[in-house]
Amino acid sequence: MNGRWANRLLLGLLLAAGAAPIQGGQDDESFLRRYAATYRFSLGRPTAISLTPAGDRALFLRSGPRDFVRSLYEVDAATGAERLLLSAEQLLQGQAEQLSAEELARRERMRLAARGIAGYELSRDGARILVPLSGRLFVVERASGATRELAIGQAAALDPRFSPDGNHVAWVSAGDLHVAELATNQVRALTTGATDTLTRGLAEFVAQEEMDRMHGYWWSPESNQILYQETDTAAVELLEIADPARPERPPQAWRYPRAGTRNASVRLLLSARTGGTPREVLWDREAFPYLANVCWEANAPLVILVQNRAQTVLRLLEVDCDDGTTRLLHEETDE
């Protein structure tokens, strides 16, 4: 597309949406530079806003107006006073941020371009903040600001989350699910034996990209059990993807399910937080291979949403946590 024509098209769309008119080619270029430099005027905006249980504080992430590096802030609801809680520079103490290929791919599927503190989680009681950064995990005591790093080993931590009671943290590392008890700093590998084609606790590509499901494990409301996804991609086609911006680098190999080819094989297993033999959740996985969603809330049954490959039939199933069997709650069909 011709650059000048593209500029005119963009400006025309803005005018049609009610934007103020801009005169002259020089101003056109200035606007487009600002539009690009501010990532569509999104940089500098507060995001990932969390309220404390008492409602007296709000936490949020924000970058500078023209950079992608986010820091964590807190604002007092009564006075409006704002303060910096945490920055990536403070946590890493000057070290450069390192992101694994898996984390970069996950962020791409989340449409997340942020660096620095790209995400965090506030415990349900508001006492602790969990911050993943550069493949590492940090737990911050909100009242005192005391910060400690969890000993997760050499592999980067993916999708870390508090248990509902706030006393444990789970994450996926090197394809297996891990749990840390915060009081004792004891780390337990809940699963072992992951390979390049077998992972536990991670959502597969189809779920992340097409179903907007980014999680592959779920805490029970009582924090004593974890439901996790086991994904086998051995039958999925292996493609090599080169980086056109860095042609000197070798291409990366990814299991990618092109239309009409084999998908990942997905199943669910239910485990005690302390480990032991898991129970498999049973449903007709041949007829309904897509796990679209999972919901496990307090005072409610564990339910899963599954679909056939054509995505014309959707079933809501209740899971019996004692034996892993399921029963149909609701079905929808669309030709």
Side-chain angles (χ1 to χ4, degrees):
M1 180 183 293
N2 179 273
R4 184 177 297 274
W5 188 89
N7 291 356
R8 291 175 179 173
L9 174 61
L10 176 59
L11 292 172
L13 291 172
L14 290 168
L15 291 173
I22 301 174
Q23 305 295 328
Q26 186 67 30
D27 287 337
D28 293 357
E29 292 181 3
S30 177
F31 166 79
L32 290 171
R33 287 194 185 97
R34 294 197 302 271
Y35 188 77
T38 60
Y39 200 59
R40 303 186 295 272
F41 300 113
S42 66
L43 298 180
R45 293 180 181 175
T47 187
I49 300 169
S50 298
L51 290 176
T52 58
D56 59 339
R57 298 286 192 278
L59 280 66
F60 62 90
L61 296 175
R62 188 177 64 206
S63 70
R66 293 190 178 227
D67 70 68
F68 290 86
V69 181
R70 292 178 179 174
S71 297
L72 181 62
Y73 294 83
E74 182 183 82
V75 62
D76 187 311
T79 66
E82 177 186 302
R83 69 185 181 101
L84 174 67
L85 274 184
L86 209 57
S87 70
E89 186 177 5
Q90 291 171 346
L91 287 177
L92 297 180
Q93 298 180 348
Q95 297 181 24
E97 183 180 3
Q98 302 290 333
L99 295 177
S100 65
E102 292 79 9
E103 177 63 18
L104 286 170
R106 177 181 169 82
R107 292 190 183 189
E108 180 180 345
R109 292 166 197 157
M110 296 172 69
R111 309 299 186 259
L112 183 62
R115 289 297 186 117
I117 301 178
Y120 72 98
E121 185 183 23
L122 182 66
S123 62
R124 289 191 180 182
D125 62 4
R128 290 170 170 156
I129 306 167
L130 178 63
V131 180
L133 180 63
S134 197
R136 299 155 64 183
L137 291 182
F138 300 89
V139 176
V140 182
E141 301 295 333
R142 193 173 64 85
S144 65
T147 302
R148 56 173 162 151
E149 182 176 358
L150 297 182
I152 64 171
Q154 297 298 316
L158 296 174
D159 193 23
R161 281 178 286 143
F162 279 121
S163 59
D165 63 12
N167 295 325
H168 300 81
V169 172
W171 70 90
V172 178
S173 182
D176 276 309
L177 187 61
H178 297 72
V179 174
E181 184 177 11
L182 297 180
T184 63
N185 290 322
Q186 180 183 5
V187 175
R188 179 188 305 273
L190 203 62
T191 68
T192 58
T195 68
D196 290 341
T197 59
L198 186 69
T199 61
R200 284 79 173 230
L202 294 176
E204 80 279 19
F205 174 86
V206 168
Q208 293 185 32
E209 185 67 26
E210 307 299 343
M211 300 178 184
D212 200 27
R213 176 171 66 81
M214 296 296 167
H215 298 312
Y217 71 89
W218 300 265
W219 281 100
S220 68
E222 300 80 16
S223 304
N224 60 347
Q225 297 184 87
I226 295 183
L227 177 74
Y228 64 88
Q229 170 179 333
E230 182 180 85
T231 307
D232 185 348
T233 60
V236 178
E237 187 175 20
L238 185 66
L239 299 180
E240 292 188 335
I241 303 175
D243 185 350
R246 296 177 176 85
E248 74 281 3
R249 295 185 178 181
Q252 293 184 348
W254 295 94
R255 298 280 175 176
Y256 180 78
R258 289 188 300 138
T261 64
R262 294 288 296 275
N263 273 327
S265 175
V266 172
R267 65 178 187 146
L268 287 174
L269 297 115
L270 187 61
S271 172
R273 187 192 66 230
T274 53
T277 303
R279 298 180 298 283
E280 183 176 0
V281 175
L282 304 173
W283 80 93
D284 189 349
R285 294 192 296 118
E286 287 295 322
F288 296 91
Y290 288 154
L291 177 66
N293 207 350
V294 173
C295 186
W296 204 356
E297 299 291 340
N299 304 314
L302 168 60
V303 295
I304 63 175
L305 197 65
V306 298
Q307 294 176 319
N308 62 339
R309 177 152 188 177
Q311 295 183 294
T312 56
V313 182
L314 178 148
R315 285 186 173 181
L316 184 67
L317 306 175
E318 179 182 347
V319 179
D320 186 321
C321 295
D322 292 328
D323 59 15
T325 58
T326 57
R327 71 181 184 95
L328 180 65
L329 294 178
H330 181 69
E331 179 176 294
E332 293 185 3
T333 302
D334 188 334
E335 294 181 1

